Amino acid sequence: MANTRFFTVALLVIFTLNSFLPQIESVRCCLSYTKKKIHCQRMENYTIQTYMGICDMDAIIFHTKAGKSICADPSKEQTQRTIKCLKARAHNLF
C-alpha cells in the first residue's frame, strides 16, 4: 500500500513539474552585457529584450550558430552594427 502511494505521489510531482518547467525555462533575461566583441558571422539571429516586459533591463540577445545567447547593450555602436549585418544577411536570402 505504501509503495503504491509513493509511486502515485512521485508521478504527480513529475507531471506537475513537467507542466511548469517549459514556462519557467522560456523566461530568460539578460542581467548584464557582454564586454566581448560580437562577430556577425557567428550569429544566427537576435531577439529584443525590453524593460517593459518581465526583465529588468533593455538588451539585444544575439543567438549564435553554436546555440549560445549573448546579451548586448542596445545603445552601443557595435550592437547596432551587428543588427544591421544580420538584417542585411537576412535580406540577401530573399
Side-chain angles (χ1 to χ4, degrees):
M1 181 77 170
N3 249 354
T4 306
R5 190 176 293 167
F6 174 77
F7 184 72
T8 304
V9 170
L11 279 177
L12 285 173
V13 169
I14 290 170
F15 286 127
T16 302
L17 286 175
N18 193 31
S19 66
F20 286 111
L21 283 179
Q23 295 169 5
I24 294 169
E25 193 173 14
S26 66
V27 179
R28 292 191 177 142
C29 295
C30 293
L31 303 175
S32 63
Y33 301 126
T34 186
K35 292 179 174 69
K36 296 180 180 180
K37 185 171 180 172
I38 301 168
H39 301 277
C40 181
Q41 64 270 19
R42 295 182 184 162
M43 301 303 143
E44 189 169 290
N45 57 29
Y46 68 95
T47 54
I48 300 171
Q49 171 183 300
T50 60
Y51 177 74
M52 299 301 288
I54 56 174
C55 299
D56 291 338
M57 60 191 272
D58 290 336
I60 302 297
I61 306 171
F62 290 106
H63 306 283
T64 69
K65 293 176 181 177
K68 296 182 180 181
S69 297
I70 300 172
C71 298
D73 185 345
S75 67
K76 298 287 184 182
E77 186 178 330
Q78 177 187 358
T79 303
Q80 294 303 316
R81 277 195 312 262
T82 306
I83 290 171
K84 188 183 265 189
C85 173
L86 289 171
K87 284 182 177 180
R89 191 167 65 196
H91 181 63
N92 289 337
L93 293 176
F94 297 105

